[in-house]
Amino acid sequence: MDDMEMWPEVEKAATEKRRELVLQGLVVDKRICSNGGLTSSVYSLLLLNYLEVSQCPSLTAIHEDVQHLTNLQSLILCRNKLASVPNVIGKLKSLKVLDLSVNDLKVLPEGIAELKELNTLNVSCNSLQVLPEGLAQCAKLSFINVSKNRIAGFPADLFSERLDLLSTLVASDNLVEELSGDIHKLAAIKVLDLSNNKLNEIPSELSDCSKLKEINFKGNKLNDKRLEKMVNGCQTKSILDYLRGKGRKTQGEDGGDGDGGRGADKKKRQQQRKRKEKTADEQEEEDELNKMVVKVLHISEAPTELTVKVSAEVKDVRPYLVCCVVRGMSLKPGNALKRFLMAQTKLHDDLCGKRTIATIATHDVQLLKGPLVYGVKPPTQLKIVALGRKEMTAVELVRHLQVEAEELRKQKKRQNVTGLHKYLQLLQGKSLYPCLVDAEGHVISFPPITNSEKTKIKKTTKELFLEVTSATSLQTCKDIMDALIVVSLSSSLFLCCVRIIVAYYSLESISK
């Protein structure tokens, strides 16, 4: 029965002429199952600029009538069972954000290349083998996530000078065998993740990407074993310097001396000596960093005084959690605390997809009362003293944040959903909210929104409890935690890492 009365969210959006609609969860999934798909009335909401349909395993296809929603700027269709997306999606000329992650897609529609306003594309956790040609036509693309697919190579036009705004490319956990030297044409690239692929070489041209700040090639069996060792432990700068040196060496071998004179030979020997001296310095730096990373990324199975218990109820809400305790550190020197918070914010914007993929929270261990419990609470019963605020329920907090976000949008005269709205939408339609609770019953974290003022870190913090939560995958949490620790190390925030304890929590065993 396709009746708008059976879809109160759709009826309300139509009556109030709303521009945002979120449909997600078990109740919506049952309607989709009995209806054989989304109600057709959704496609008549022509004013929508934000549409999300997520966590609905019964949703296997989107009707071609989606083309009528020409005002859409964000289309979120994640965590369903979509097997296909209609090619007419290319007619959504205003679309800026397209999220098709965690579905059953084997191919993407060529129409995506017609989305001239698109700036964010997330198709991670599917079964894609190829990407569509013509993505270079989406000249405003700034973020692409194609991780956890079966992609063996990139289309030739992906590394195009036309994509001069592309700053983040995440393609981890695929089958990519070659990275083109044309990667240097992506002038704005800042984050490049090709970990856990089939790469044998990393092109020296990568060193010409002047804005590149974070690279990840872990899990690739490189022919250059020294480079392989570096990518598993070194800073981005050291790797780029090494690639730059290889590029100059290759050019020298191809070009020759030309005059064959003694002066040229002497100059060549001097250059070789300088390279050797530089290489020795890089090796020393590499060895020091490797020592640090071994300690940081050690996974301990030994019991600790601070434990986290996971309740079964989070399985259908936000099931993945990774925790880390950092001991023996100092945030007092200079602007150490500020640099750490900036690193966290940058990870939230990039790898965490502005909190839509994962969320980071930090706590002062001395202010924690263990054991901790990661569970769920009804929105009206979840109370938290959010950062910089007084105690209120989750319902009140979300309402306050929505009002603030709406005011900010009006001030900036924008029609699109703000970054704040993007992660508030993740909670809509949920009857239970995820939270981390201490032994006294206080909520110290409410992902993906905020953590508590009670456990806020300060310059005097000496022991840090890090948490990363996600609804996407456990590996996502692990990768982001590793990135957070490594970035912090590179900033010399952890002056003495006496002990690192990393605990991975997943409800996969419970769900089985």
Side-chain angles (χ1 to χ4, degrees):
M1 179 178 180
D2 191 3
D3 189 343
M4 190 178 286
E5 292 182 359
M6 298 293 291
W7 298 79
E9 306 93 340
V10 178
E11 183 180 19
K12 188 174 183 179
T15 303
E16 299 181 2
K17 297 182 179 181
R18 292 195 169 193
R19 287 170 170 75
E20 300 168 6
L21 175 64
V22 177
L23 300 170
Q24 62 181 194
L26 183 61
V27 174
V28 174
D29 185 57
K30 288 180 178 178
R31 291 187 220 150
I32 291 175
C33 183
S34 61
N35 190 61
L38 275 177
T39 170
S40 60
S41 54
V42 167
Y43 306 117
S44 64
L45 302 175
L46 304 184
L47 294 178
L48 286 183
N49 60 34
Y50 183 98
L51 173 61
E52 177 179 344
V53 186
S54 60
Q55 301 181 55
C56 297
S58 298
L59 186 64
T60 59
I62 292 294
H63 197 276
E64 290 191 351
D65 285 348
V66 71
Q67 65 182 299
H68 300 314
L69 304 179
T70 54
N71 286 314
L72 272 187
Q73 296 184 12
S74 295
L75 179 58
I76 313 298
L77 300 173
C78 61
R79 304 196 72 187
N80 301 300
K81 292 291 182 180
L82 290 177
S84 64
V85 176
N87 199 50
V88 294
I89 197 173
K91 295 186 178 182
L92 303 179
K93 302 301 182 182
S94 300
L95 200 63
K96 296 182 179 181
V97 177
L98 178 59
D99 188 345
L100 301 173
S101 61
V102 198
N103 279 287
D104 290 335
L105 297 172
K106 292 181 173 60
V107 64
L108 293 176
E110 295 181 358
I112 287 181
E114 300 174 22
L115 302 174
K116 308 299 183 183
E117 297 298 316
L118 193 66
N119 61 48
T120 299
L121 176 63
N122 187 353
V123 293
S124 60
C125 302
N126 280 284
S127 300
L128 301 173
Q129 296 183 10
V130 295
L131 295 176
E133 298 283 346
L135 284 178
Q137 299 177 48
C138 305
K140 295 186 179 181
L141 270 174
S142 65
F143 178 92
I144 297 177
N145 187 345
V146 297
S147 62
K148 296 179 175 59
N149 280 283
R150 301 173 184 172
I151 298 169
F154 299 109
D157 68 337
L158 181 63
F159 303 120
S160 167
E161 294 172 345
R162 297 180 63 181
L163 294 177
D164 57 353
L165 298 178
L166 184 59
S167 62
T168 301
L169 174 58
V170 181
S172 58
D173 299 284
N174 277 285
L175 303 172
V176 178
E177 297 179 349
E178 181 181 4
L179 179 61
S180 171
D182 288 339
I183 183 71
H184 75 276
K185 294 181 180 179
L186 300 178
I189 195 72
K190 295 180 180 178
V191 178
L192 178 63
D193 187 348
L194 279 161
S195 58
N196 301 319
N197 276 281
K198 302 293 182 181
L199 293 173
N200 298 125
E201 303 284 347
I202 300 178
S204 60
E205 290 87 349
L206 185 65
S207 63
D208 294 329
C209 298
S210 59
K211 295 186 178 181
L212 197 56
K213 301 299 181 185
E214 297 177 22
I215 57 176
N216 189 353
F217 288 98
K218 296 177 182 179
N220 289 284
K221 295 183 179 180
L222 304 178
N223 292 332
D224 187 333
K225 295 306 176 184
R226 182 184 172 200
L227 180 58
E228 183 177 322
K229 183 180 179 182
M230 292 182 72
V231 301
N232 287 324
C234 277
Q235 302 177 56
T236 295
K237 182 179 182 302
S238 297
I239 297 170
L240 295 180
D241 286 344
Y242 179 79
L243 290 173
R244 192 173 293 113
K246 284 187 66 175
R248 287 197 297 264
K249 181 178 180 181
T250 301
Q251 292 174 1
E253 290 174 350
D254 292 342
D257 286 336
D259 60 5
R262 293 182 178 177
D265 289 338
K266 182 178 180 181
K267 184 176 181 181
K268 186 175 181 179
R269 287 194 298 272
Q270 290 175 341
Q271 291 174 341
Q272 289 175 338
R273 185 169 61 253
K274 288 181 179 180
R275 278 199 294 268
K276 287 181 180 179
E277 292 173 353
K278 184 176 181 181
T279 298
D281 292 336
E282 290 177 347
Q283 184 64 49
E284 183 178 351
E285 178 184 3
E286 176 191 342
D287 291 340
E288 287 301 313
L289 283 171
N290 278 338
K291 292 177 184 178
M292 297 167 76
V293 172
V294 168
K295 291 181 180 179
V296 171
L297 302 184
H298 172 64
I299 301 173
S300 174
E301 296 180 356
T304 66
E305 65 275 16
L306 184 60
T307 60
V308 181
K309 299 179 181 179
V310 183
S311 68
E313 290 82 1
V314 299
K315 179 169 67 70
D316 297 320
V317 181
R318 196 176 183 85
Y320 304 108
L321 167 71
V322 172
C323 299
C324 174
V325 174
V326 180
R327 303 189 189 282
M329 58 177 292
S330 175
L331 293 172
K332 287 184 178 180
N335 60 351
L337 176 59
K338 180 180 179 181
R339 284 188 289 121
F340 176 73
L341 295 177
M342 288 176 62
Q344 180 180 333
T345 300
K346 192 173 189 307
L347 286 174
H348 265 149
D349 290 342
D350 296 335
L351 292 183
C352 296
K354 297 186 183 297
R355 304 197 190 196
T356 60
I357 298 173
T359 306
I360 300 168
T362 57
H363 310 272
D364 188 328
V365 171
Q366 298 301 316
L367 301 177
L368 294 179
K369 306 293 184 182
L372 308 178
V373 176
Y374 181 52
V376 296
K377 286 179 177 288
T380 54
Q381 296 180 20
L382 194 162
K383 291 185 177 181
I384 184 172
V385 182
L387 291 172
R389 299 173 186 269
K390 63 180 182 180
E391 184 178 66
M392 60 182 75
T393 65
V395 172
E396 294 170 332
L397 176 60
V398 170
R399 188 182 300 123
H400 276 286
L401 291 174
Q402 286 174 334
V403 170
E404 291 173 6
E406 187 64 26
E407 291 176 352
L408 180 63
R409 182 165 65 176
K410 290 178 180 179
Q411 289 174 6
K412 295 188 175 182
K413 298 181 180 180
R414 293 177 178 173
Q415 293 298 318
N416 60 305
V417 180
T418 66
L420 190 57
H421 266 104
K422 284 181 181 177
Y423 63 83
L424 289 176
Q425 296 288 349
L426 297 175
L427 295 172
Q428 289 198 10
K430 293 186 183 298
S431 58
L432 297 171
Y433 286 173
C435 57
L436 192 61
V437 182
D438 69 10
E440 297 180 346
H442 297 132
V443 175
I444 63 169
S445 181
F446 171 27
I449 306 301
T450 185
N451 49 302
S452 173
E453 182 75 22
K454 292 179 179 291
T455 57
K456 178 180 177 181
I457 65 171
K458 307 178 180 66
K459 279 184 172 289
T460 55
T461 299
K462 296 180 179 180
E463 297 181 355
L464 194 66
F465 180 81
L466 309 178
E467 67 166 276
V468 178
T469 61
S470 174
T472 303
S473 72
L474 180 62
Q475 188 60 47
T476 296
C477 290
K478 292 180 182 179
D479 292 343
I480 291 171
M481 179 63 79
D482 289 351
L484 175 61
I485 297 172
V486 171
V487 167
S488 302
L489 275 169
S490 66
S491 301
S492 299
L493 292 177
F494 302 157
L495 301 182
C496 179
C497 294
V498 177
R499 181 169 52 154
I500 300 294
I501 305 164
V502 182
Y504 298 111
Y505 299 96
S506 167
L507 293 190
E508 292 173 346
S509 58
I510 294 177
S511 63
K512 293 177 182 178

